[in-house]
Amino acid sequence: MYHFIDAAPGVRLWAEERGSATAPPLLLVMGAQTSGLGWPDELVDALAEHHRVIRYDHRDTGRSTWAFDQQPYAVTDLAEDAITVLDGLGVDRAHVVGMSLGGMLTQLLVADHPDRLLSATLIGTSALSTTPYVRPDGTHVPPEELPGIAPHVLEIWARPAEERGPEGELDARVAHWRALAGDQLPFDAEGARALERKIIEHTGHHASSTAHGRADTSGMLRTEELAKTEVPTLVISAPAEPVFPPPHPQHLAQVIRGARTVEIPGMGHALPREVLAPLTAAILDHTSVLDAPQDDDAVRGRR
């Protein structure tokens, strides 16, 4: 079941629900420039066996409104869009899973809207905090000195946007996913191409947006709020991650009060089939413990 939800004058967000309407809600928040369909159906369906799963298209992706040049916004506005989706679907509180930029948006939700979250799961992201990382030997590392984005990924991101035609655009997207996937698992080029073809069909055109890269990034630090939060938080550690490699996950677990890490073997900055089962298990292990003692309308969401 899908919906369109008004986020601002002239801006609508596409959202989809799967699973029982009475199950605990779980909101999936994708990364920059990526449609909600970037969450593989296999993962969504596995989570939907236990949750009312909601995924949505950010502004300037998928079927949501593309209007950044006419109505520019900040990254913090994208976090507020996630709350708008919950409001539009009548959900009081939800488990939230965020990947990449979506992990940063989820941190903003943890800090600014803790009353709306049952839990948070962060994948492939970095801490919105100025707190140093403390190595096992006790030395302190400022966040800006943690490992940066791999050069081969930066090179792809630095290329100017251009019209390539549908098949050329698919080639570029597959090459991008190959770079993001890391080097510990075999890369399924045909699977990546099929997913991107589906996203293009869903969107209705093959253009790629640069809006999220141009959005205002000011006002995103939440050092104090993350340090004192009571939102149960799981951090996924991906050993082949080329964007926010270890120890970024360990740093996140240090700056977010009570957070813990789970490593997914072979995982990079992507969601290939090989990581879906262990990732699903980690997320459900996190959410099921929190849902077990609760069985009221506030947890399930209101219709």
Side-chain angles (χ1 to χ4, degrees):
M1 179 187 303
Y2 69 86
H3 314 263
F4 284 99
I5 299 164
D6 292 328
V11 177
R12 296 196 309 169
L13 303 175
W14 176 90
E16 179 197 58
E17 297 181 83
R18 295 192 188 185
S20 171
T22 61
L26 187 151
L27 179 69
L28 297 171
V29 186
M30 241 304 156
Q33 321 297 153
T34 308
S35 159
L37 268 63
W39 295 103
D41 285 342
E42 183 178 338
L43 174 67
V44 175
D45 289 339
L47 294 173
E49 292 182 13
H50 304 272
H51 289 283
R52 174 187 173 191
V53 178
I54 302 161
R55 60 178 173 177
Y56 69 102
D57 291 339
H58 295 297
R59 304 184 195 200
D60 293 278
T61 73
R63 294 185 186 176
S64 291
T65 301
W66 291 51
F68 181 83
D69 291 332
Q70 295 74 40
Q71 295 178 263
Y73 47 82
V75 171
T76 52
D77 292 324
L78 295 177
E80 293 303 314
D81 283 350
I83 296 298
T84 297
V85 170
L86 295 181
D87 288 343
L89 298 181
V91 176
D92 290 322
R93 301 179 70 198
H95 300 284
V96 180
V97 179
M99 180 168 184
S100 195
L101 175 65
M104 296 181 185
L105 302 183
T106 301
Q107 291 177 69
L108 292 173
L109 299 183
V110 168
D112 299 345
H113 299 281
D115 58 314
R116 303 300 300 273
L117 273 68
L118 294 169
S119 75
T121 299
L122 308 176
I123 307 168
T125 193
S126 64
L128 302 182
S129 172
T130 59
T131 302
Y133 168 61
V134 182
R135 290 188 177 121
D137 65 6
T139 58
H140 288 59
V141 182
E144 62 272 18
E145 295 181 14
L146 291 175
I149 301 169
H152 70 283
V153 175
L154 287 175
E155 190 275 327
I156 291 175
W157 290 355
R159 295 173 187 169
E162 59 183 349
E163 169 55 42
R164 307 180 182 93
E167 292 304 313
E169 178 63 25
L170 282 169
D171 290 342
R173 294 189 189 191
V174 171
H176 185 215
W177 282 120
R178 185 187 298 275
L180 293 178
D183 58 4
Q184 295 188 18
L185 295 172
F187 179 68
D188 179 7
E190 289 307 310
R193 195 176 192 87
L195 175 61
E196 287 300 332
R197 192 182 298 279
K198 180 179 179 180
I199 290 172
I200 287 172
E201 292 173 354
H202 165 76
T203 304
H205 59 79
H206 66 272
S208 290
S209 172
T210 61
H212 297 167
R214 294 183 285 142
D216 180 7
T217 59
S218 63
M220 290 179 62
L221 287 176
R222 296 292 188 275
T223 303
E224 294 183 4
E225 295 86 348
L226 295 175
K228 65 183 182 182
T229 187
E230 295 185 0
V231 176
T233 302
L234 171 67
V235 181
I236 299 299
S237 179
E241 169 70 61
V243 179
F244 297 114
H248 280 280
Q250 291 71 29
H251 181 225
L252 272 165
Q254 289 179 0
V255 304
I256 300 175
R257 181 175 179 265
R260 64 187 182 90
T261 61
V262 170
E263 180 173 303
I264 305 299
M267 187 173 181
H269 198 79
L271 298 171
R273 175 163 291 177
E274 292 87 347
V275 309
L276 298 185
L279 180 59
T280 299
I283 294 171
L284 292 178
D285 178 66
H286 183 53
T287 62
S288 64
V289 171
L290 299 165
D291 288 331
Q294 306 177 62
D295 190 29
D296 56 33
D297 290 342
V299 171
R300 293 176 178 172
R302 49 183 168 79
R303 296 294 289 174

